[in-house]
C-alpha cells in the first residue's frame, strides 16, 4: 500500500465520518485526523499545535481570570523549558511554518468570537473541531470561526459544480507547476555562470512556481471543504494581475489573509485609526508575516520590502486624491505600464521566499555591480 492509496483512504474515511456521525463527535474525529496528518510530516509541529490549541480552548472556555493567567504561565513555562533544553528547534518544513501562521490567525478569530459572544455558550466540541479541522491545518485559506460554526452545526449539501471547478483549477495549476519544474529546475541553476538574462528568467520562473503552488493548494483545500459540507465561498483569489498597484496585487492574491488582517489586526474595532497608524500597522504586520514564512533574514527583508511598497502606494493614492495634477498624470499612465511595474517589483522580490535566495541575490548583485563598474 503506497502513500497515495493511504491518502485516498484517509480523505474518504474523513468525509464518511463527517456525513454519518453527528457534529458533536467531530470534536474528537477532527483532532484525531488532524494530529495524524501533521505527525506524518512533523511530529514536533503536531505536539506544539496540540499544546497550543488545548491551552487556547481552555482559555476561551474557562471564564475565571486567575485560572486563565495560570494556564498562560504554565504553557509559556513549558515551551520555555523545552526550548532551553533543545527539545524545540525552529527547523520545520516550509509548509508548517505557513501552517503555524495560518492557524494562529484562525485561533485569534475564535478568541475574538468568544470575546464578542461572552454570554453565549461555545462548546468544547466546536472549538476543537475548528482548530483541528484537517482541511485547513496546513497553509490556509484563513476561514473565521464564525463562518465555520455556520456550516458545522448544519451540514450543507455538496455543490457538485463548485467542487468540480475547484478540483479542475487545482489540477491545472498543479500540471502547470510540474511542467514548469520539468523544463526549469531552480536547484540545477548554475549561479556563478549565469548571465543577466538567465538571472532575469530565474526571477520570473521562481515567482511563477510559487504562485502556481499556492493556487493549486488553495483550490484543492476548498474542494475538500465542500465535500465535508463546509462551502466556504468567499473568493480567495481576485483579479490580482490587473489591479494596478502593489496593494491590490497582494491583497487580491490571498483575500482570506487580507480580510483577516483588515478585520482583526489593521483596523481597531473601537475607533478609526489615522493614516500614519494604519501605515505602521501594515508595515509591522507584513514584515512579521514575511519573517514567519521561514524565520530567515531573507523572508524578513521580503516582508519589509512589501510593507514599504504598501505604504508607498498608499501615499501615492492619497497624493492623487489631494493633488489634481498627480491624479491627471496617473490617468494618463496606461494600465499596461502599471501592470509591468508591479510585476517587475513582484518578480524581483518574490524569490526572497525561496531556499536559493542567498546565492541568487549574491551572484545577481555581483553581476550587476561588475557591469556598473565596467560601464
Amino acid at each position: 500500500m503506497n502513500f497515495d492509496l493511504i491518502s485516498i483512504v484517509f480523505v474518504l474515511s474523513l468525509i464518511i465520518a463527517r456525513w454519518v456521525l453527528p457534529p458533536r463527535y467531530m470534536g474528537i474525529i477532527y483532532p484525531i485526523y488532524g494530529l495524524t496528518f501533521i505527525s506524518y510530516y512533523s511530529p514536533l509541529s503536531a505536539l506544539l499545535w496540540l499544546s497550543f490549541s488545548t491551552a487556547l480552548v481552555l482559555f476561551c472556555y474557562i471564564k475565571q481570570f486567575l485560572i486563565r493567567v495560570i494556564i498562560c504561565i504554565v504553557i509559556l513555562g513549558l515551551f520555555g523549558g523545552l526550548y532551553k533544553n533543545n527539545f524545540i528547534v525552529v527547523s520545520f518544513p516550509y509548509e508548517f511554518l505557513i501552517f503555524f501562521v495560518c492557524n494562529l490567525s484562525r485561533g485569534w478569530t475564535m478568541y475574538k468570537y468568544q470575546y464578542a459572544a461572552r454570554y453565549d455558550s461555545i462548546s468544547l466540541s466546536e472549538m476543537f473541531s475548528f482548530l483541528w479541522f484537517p482541511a485547513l491545518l496546513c497553509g490556509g485559506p484563513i476561514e473565521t470561526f464564525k463562518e465555520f460554526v455556520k456550516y458545522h452545526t448544519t451540514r450543507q449539501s455538496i455543490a457538485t459544480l463548485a467542487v468540480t471547478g475547484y478540483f479542475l483549477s487545482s489540477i491545472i495549476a498543479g500540471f502547470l507547476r510540474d511542467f514548469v519544474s520539468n523544463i526549469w529546475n531552480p536547484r540545477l541553476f548554475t549561479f556563478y555562470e549565469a548571465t543577466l538574462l538567465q538571472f532575469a528568467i530565474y526571477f520570473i520562473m521562481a515567482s511563477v512556481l510559487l504562485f502556481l503552488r499556492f493556487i493549486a493548494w488553495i483550490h484543492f483545500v476548498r474542494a475538500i471543504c465542500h465535500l465535508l459540507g463546509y462551502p466556504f465561498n468567499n473568493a480567495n483569489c481576485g483579479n490580482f494581475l490587473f489591479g494596478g498597484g502593489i496593494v491590490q496585487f497582494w491583497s487580491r492574491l490571498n483575500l482570506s489573509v487580507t480580510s483577516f488582517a483588515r478585520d482583526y489586526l489593521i483596523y481597531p474595532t473601537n475607533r478609526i485609526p489615522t493614516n500614519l497608524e494604519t501605515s505602521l500597522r501594515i508595515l509591522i504586520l507584513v514584515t512579521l508575516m514575511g519573517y514567519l514564512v521561514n524565520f530567515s533574514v531573507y523572508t524578513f527583508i521580503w516582508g519589509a520590502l512589501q510593507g514599504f511598497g504598501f505604504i508607498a502606494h498608499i501615499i501615492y493614492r492619497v497624493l492623487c486624491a489631494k493633488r489634481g495634477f498627480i491624479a491627471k498624470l496617473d490617468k494618463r499612465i496606461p494600465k499596461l505600464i502599471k501592470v509591468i511595474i508591479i510585476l517587475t517589483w513582484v518578480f524581483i522580490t518574490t524569490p526572497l521566499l525561496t531556499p536559493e535566495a542567498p546565492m541568487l541575490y549574491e551572484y545577481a548583485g555581483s553581476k550587476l555591480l561588475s557591469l556598473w563598474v565596467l560601464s
Side-chain angles (χ1 to χ4, degrees), residues 249-281:
F249 182 91
W250 287 117
S251 61
R252 295 177 183 179
L253 179 66
N254 197 337
L255 290 172
S256 66
V257 173
T258 304
S259 300
F260 166 79
R262 182 191 64 233
D263 297 339
Y264 293 93
L265 300 176
I266 295 176
Y267 296 106
T269 56
N270 56 346
R271 58 187 173 84
I272 299 176
T274 63
N275 289 333
L276 177 61
E277 182 183 351
T278 301
S279 299
L280 288 175
R281 284 172 177 260

Side-chain angles (χ1 to χ4, degrees), residues 102 105-106 109 136 139-144 147 214 217-218 221-222 232-238 250-265 285 289:
C102 291
S105 302
R106 293 197 306 118
T109 70
L136 299 179
I142 300 176
E143 305 293 353
T144 64
E147 283 291 309
F214 169 77
W217 173 256
I218 290 294
V221 167
R222 279 288 174 85
F232 300 119
N233 286 319
N234 294 328
N236 198 69
C237 291
W250 287 117
S251 61
R252 295 177 183 179
L253 179 66
N254 197 337
L255 290 172
S256 66
V257 173
T258 304
S259 300
F260 166 79
R262 182 191 64 233
D263 297 339
Y264 293 93
L265 300 176
L285 174 63
M289 290 178 64

Side-chain angles (χ1 to χ4, degrees), residues 38-338:
I38 301 174
S39 298
Y40 179 86
Y41 293 97
S42 175
L44 185 55
S45 293
L47 174 63
L48 286 176
W49 185 244
L50 177 63
S51 304
F52 182 84
S53 62
T54 303
L56 180 60
V57 168
L58 293 175
F59 190 84
C60 291
Y61 190 74
I62 297 173
K63 305 300 181 182
Q64 291 82 359
F65 177 77
L66 180 60
I67 298 179
R68 284 183 167 186
V69 172
I70 293 174
I71 291 173
C72 291
I73 293 174
V74 170
I75 293 299
L76 288 175
L78 175 63
F79 284 134
L82 291 174
Y83 184 79
K84 185 177 180 180
N85 292 284
N86 296 323
F87 286 103
I88 295 178
V89 180
V90 183
S91 60
F92 305 145
Y94 173 82
E95 290 80 3
F96 287 94
L97 294 169
I98 298 293
F99 148 80
F100 268 104
V101 174
C102 291
N103 283 300
L104 289 175
S105 302
R106 293 197 306 118
W108 181 248
T109 70
M110 187 182 80
Y111 171 75
K112 294 291 286 185
Y113 182 89
Q114 182 271 341
Y115 182 81
R118 62 180 66 184
Y119 300 111
D120 297 333
S121 60
I122 302 174
S123 68
L124 290 173
S125 175
E126 288 175 340
M127 288 190 282
F128 274 114
S129 297
F130 175 66
L131 293 177
W132 283 98
F133 185 52
L136 299 179
L137 272 179
C138 181
I142 300 176
E143 305 293 353
T144 64
F145 184 74
K146 181 179 179 180
E147 283 291 309
F148 177 84
V149 171
K150 180 172 65 175
Y151 300 127
H152 181 70
T153 53
T154 304
R155 286 182 291 248
Q156 307 294 310
S157 58
I158 298 175
T160 307
L161 188 61
V163 173
T164 304
Y166 278 126
F167 270 129
L168 285 176
S169 176
S170 177
I171 291 170
I172 293 171
F175 173 79
L176 292 174
R177 175 202 61 203
D178 294 339
F179 175 76
V180 172
S181 299
N182 288 332
I183 64 174
W184 180 84
N185 190 338
R187 296 180 180 178
L188 301 179
F189 190 80
T190 53
F191 294 95
Y192 59 91
E193 296 178 351
T195 64
L196 276 179
L197 177 60
Q198 290 173 326
F199 275 119
I201 294 174
Y202 185 101
F203 278 101
I204 294 173
M205 299 299 279
S207 302
V208 169
L209 272 178
L210 286 175
F211 294 144
L212 288 174
R213 288 169 183 166
F214 169 77
I215 294 173
W217 173 256
I218 290 294
H219 287 184
F220 175 76
V221 167
R222 279 288 174 85
I224 297 299
C225 288
H226 274 68
L227 290 176
L228 290 170
Y230 299 86
F232 300 119
N233 286 319
N234 294 328
N236 198 69
C237 291
N239 184 13
F240 58 90
L241 284 178
F242 302 101
I246 188 66
V247 175
Q248 289 87 341
F249 182 91
W250 287 117
S251 61
R252 295 177 183 179
L253 179 66
N254 197 337
L255 290 172
S256 66
V257 173
T258 304
S259 300
F260 166 79
R262 182 191 64 233
D263 297 339
Y264 293 93
L265 300 176
I266 295 176
Y267 296 106
T269 56
N270 56 346
R271 58 187 173 84
I272 299 176
T274 63
N275 289 333
L276 177 61
E277 182 183 351
T278 301
S279 299
L280 288 175
R281 284 172 177 260
I282 291 174
L283 176 61
I284 294 171
L285 174 63
V286 178
T287 303
L288 180 61
M289 290 178 64
Y291 179 69
L292 291 175
V293 167
N294 203 15
F295 291 99
S296 75
V297 65
Y298 289 95
T299 58
F300 175 84
I301 293 173
W302 175 87
L305 288 174
Q306 304 313 316
F308 281 116
F310 278 29
I311 293 175
H313 186 254
I314 292 172
I315 293 174
Y316 177 71
R317 299 313 303 172
V318 171
L319 290 176
C320 286
K322 293 183 177 181
R323 301 287 189 270
F325 73 94
I326 297 180
K328 292 178 181 178
L329 179 63
D330 179 74
K331 291 180 180 179
R332 291 181 180 179
I333 300 175
K335 190 71 171 246
L336 181 60
I337 299 298
K338 295 180 181 179

